[in-house]
Structures are given as C-alpha cells and as structure tokens.
Amino acid sequence: MDGPAGTGWKPGGSTLPGRRMAILTIIGIGVDMIEVSRIQSALDRFGDRFLNRVFAPGEQRYALSRPNPAESLAARFAAKEAVMKALGTGRYGVSWREIEVVRTSAGRPGLVLSGRTLAVARFLGVREWHLSLTHGREQAIAFAVALGQPGSPE
C-alpha cells in the first residue's frame, strides 16, 4: 500500500513528505497535565499580569479568541512545562515566554524557542520538536519530544 499520491511516502517508511532523511534520536521527553481551573484562577486574580508573564502575544491572541480561553491557555502552559521537562531544566534557567506554542501551516501545534531556552536546546543538540496538546473543560495535557543529535550543537 502506498501513501498519498505523488509523495513517495509509504507507511512504515523512514521519511515523511517534504522531510529530509536524517537520523535523529530522542534527546528528551516531557509531559504535563494541569487543571484548567488553576489557569482560570490565575486569570481572575492577576489578569494581564499573568498573561504577560507567561504567554507570548501570539499565544494570548489565539487563546483569547477561543470560546473558553482558559482551556487553550492551560494547554499552552502544560506545553511549556513539558518542554522544560524534555530539556531537563525544569523551571530553572529558562523563561515561560521563551517557549511559544504556535500553529504550523498544517494546523498542528509547534514551538518557537528563544533566548536562554533556545541556547539550552541548541547546546543539547535539539533540532526538531514534536508536540501534542489536548484539553477539555477540566484538564489540559501536553506531550513534547525533543529530537536531535546529542553532542552536536547546531
């Protein structure tokens, strides 16, 4: 069975359409779950101060355009925590706003790192991220996988 017409991709193959073949290893994995009510409480108590401390402007615009902003913000908060875990830093040495959750052109969640967080990722040899988010009324979960070549900073 072949994959989508004209792509050259086959199920079980090592490359996806539009991807160069590279051997990358898992450098880190992070997962986080948060109660949406915790984010809603922070919004109610601290408002813009909380938003501006934790979320990049694009994240704020996206989440505040959704029917329940706290759910989208909780998923992004969980993603930031998952990235910190995948990097092995915890909350130390990185900043919330240096980890931005974006939507790729395909609609999937993606990451844009900056500042010290980007420097740590490069030092570890991270070249690619995979991110999965899910949320409901009560909880949000994020799973992050850092891929790269350990010992070969970009």
Side-chain angles (χ1 to χ4, degrees):
M1 178 173 121
D2 287 338
T7 64
W9 179 77
K10 296 182 181 191
S14 59
T15 60
L16 293 174
R19 294 263 175 111
R20 292 175 306 212
M21 187 141 156
I23 298 174
L24 301 177
T25 60
I26 295 174
I27 292 176
I29 297 172
V31 65
D32 193 70
M33 179 173 70
I34 186 167
E35 294 174 356
V36 173
S37 63
R38 286 185 58 207
I39 298 298
Q40 185 64 59
S41 293
L43 278 173
D44 293 344
R45 186 168 178 198
F46 302 109
D48 285 346
R49 202 167 114 215
F50 170 68
L51 286 173
N52 293 329
R53 181 172 182 220
V54 177
F55 301 100
E59 291 173 310
Q60 293 179 39
R61 274 191 304 279
Y62 176 78
L64 296 175
S65 74
R66 311 300 298 165
N68 186 345
E71 291 175 10
S72 292
L73 291 169
R76 279 147 185 77
F77 187 93
K80 293 168 187 278
E81 289 267 345
V83 167
M84 292 175 188
K85 291 173 183 177
L87 291 173
T89 63
R91 293 184 191 157
Y92 303 101
V94 298
S95 169
W96 297 107
R97 286 179 54 123
E98 293 175 352
I99 304 166
E100 182 177 3
V101 178
V102 297
R103 290 174 57 101
T104 67
S105 59
R108 292 187 302 263
L111 291 168
V112 174
L113 304 183
S114 61
R116 293 172 300 178
T117 307
L118 177 59
V120 168
R122 284 184 172 161
F123 177 78
L124 294 172
V126 176
R127 294 191 177 180
E128 190 174 310
W129 287 92
H130 291 270
L131 180 64
S132 180
L133 308 174
T134 188
H135 61 78
R137 287 188 300 246
E138 295 180 14
Q139 296 177 329
I141 300 170
F143 187 80
V145 179
L147 298 171
Q149 295 176 331
S152 63
E154 262 188 34

